[in-house]
Amino acid sequence: MDCGVITSKTVLLLLSLSFWAAAAGLSYVGGYVINTYKSYDNFLQDKYTLVPAVIILCVAVVMFFIGLIGCCATFRESRVGLGLFLAIILVIFIAEISAFVLGFVYREKVKSDVQGTMRSVFDKYDGKNPESTVVDYLQEQLHCCGVKNYSDWTTTTWFNVTRNNSVPLSCCRQDTKNCTGSLDQPQNLDTQGCAAEVESGLQSVISYAMLVILGFAIVKFFAMLSVCVLTCKREDTGYQPLYSGVFA
């Protein structure tokens, strides 16, 4: 058995183990969700909240069997098994490349989408409705005020109705005391707009996800090459694997 075959089998075995590791992680998450639901089932009547956990566990089972197919096919060097494993890897590889391209496209659209959505939510602010709670939470957590800056509040319906020349108290800087949100004291307010903070956070998450997807896609690419090496090596040299079985 030459170095190329050994390397190819090692890559495929590591990939199969990664599927098992992913299955174990997903099983833990699914079990955690189910246990959490049981702890609060007296307060929850909608059983559909368990659907995500069931889906996660089903995906874990699929990942386990994919890893099993990969291990068995690699050890036996089965043409049928390796072909099936190659098809599965190819489908996942195409999905990852598609996700990478969509992530790149969406990353460029984040700025316009975020500002448009945020303006509509800020316009609905009245200090009482659910949108108001979301806006106040966002401004307090991100230490921001308004969409681009605190002056955006002067164009909202809430500002015109209250007529007190002030912005919500959630715009107040955390290091100030007795802040009333008055625009006459801008030094007490957060000056950074919320759109920039949200855009930065979303773009960072998308960029990180794209790097992870690209890394997995590269691994899948080398795995497909490894399958081809094993298959072609067996056909060219007539090499018989140490293990023989149903898929040989």
Side-chain angles (χ1 to χ4, degrees):
M1 189 183 302
D2 61 21
C3 182
V5 173
I6 295 175
T7 302
S8 299
K9 294 184 73 172
T10 301
V11 171
L12 291 176
L13 288 174
L14 289 176
L15 180 62
S16 300
L17 291 175
S18 70
F19 278 111
W20 282 346
L26 290 173
S27 297
Y28 173 81
V29 173
Y32 179 80
V33 173
I34 291 175
N35 287 333
T36 302
Y37 175 84
K38 289 181 178 179
S39 300
Y40 299 98
D41 60 352
N42 291 331
F43 304 98
L44 301 172
Q45 296 181 355
D46 190 358
K47 300 296 182 181
Y48 289 106
T49 54
L50 286 176
V51 171
V54 174
I55 293 175
I56 290 173
L57 291 176
C58 290
V59 172
V61 173
V62 172
M63 298 288 276
F64 173 80
F65 279 108
I66 293 175
L68 184 62
I69 292 172
C71 272
C72 293
T74 302
F75 273 117
R76 298 175 183 275
E77 296 182 26
S78 160
R79 290 181 60 186
V80 175
L82 289 173
L84 178 59
F85 195 44
L86 176 61
I88 294 172
I89 295 174
L90 180 61
V91 170
I92 297 175
F93 177 78
I94 293 174
E96 289 173 342
I97 294 300
S98 301
F100 180 82
V101 174
L102 289 175
F104 183 80
V105 172
Y106 182 72
R107 188 177 184 275
E108 300 301 320
K109 294 179 60 179
V110 164
K111 186 173 183 179
S112 59
D113 290 348
V114 166
Q115 290 192 12
T117 303
M118 289 186 68
R119 287 192 182 280
S120 64
V121 174
F122 274 64
D123 288 339
K124 296 177 182 177
Y125 187 94
D126 64 3
K128 300 176 182 180
N129 59 21
E131 287 82 2
S132 302
T133 302
V134 172
V135 170
D136 286 333
Y137 179 80
L138 181 69
Q139 293 189 145
E140 290 173 356
Q141 293 298 314
L142 298 182
H143 308 296
C144 58
C145 184
V147 179
K148 289 187 176 181
N149 53 58
Y150 64 88
S151 64
D152 290 329
W153 280 105
T154 60
T155 61
T156 62
T157 302
W158 175 83
F159 184 87
N160 294 326
V161 169
T162 55
R163 297 181 180 276
N164 56 8
N165 195 39
S166 65
V167 296
L169 295 179
S170 55
C171 284
C172 293
R173 295 173 54 184
Q174 291 187 346
D175 58 352
T176 59
K177 296 181 179 180
N178 301 322
C179 176
T180 61
S182 174
L183 291 178
D184 295 330
Q185 298 176 320
Q187 69 275 9
N188 293 335
L189 307 175
D190 290 312
T191 57
Q192 179 68 41
C194 295
E197 296 294 328
V198 174
E199 290 165 14
S200 177
L202 288 176
Q203 288 182 344
S204 296
V205 171
I206 294 174
S207 298
Y208 177 76
M210 290 171 63
L211 288 175
V212 172
I213 291 172
L214 181 61
F216 277 111
I218 292 173
V219 172
K220 301 297 189 307
F221 175 77
F222 282 107
M224 289 188 290
L225 287 181
S226 299
V227 172
C228 293
V229 169
L230 282 180
T231 305
C232 294
K233 195 72 176 180
R234 183 175 181 182
E235 291 178 351
D236 293 342
T237 64
Y239 167 74
Q240 294 296 323
L242 179 61
Y243 301 97
S244 60
V246 177
F247 296 114

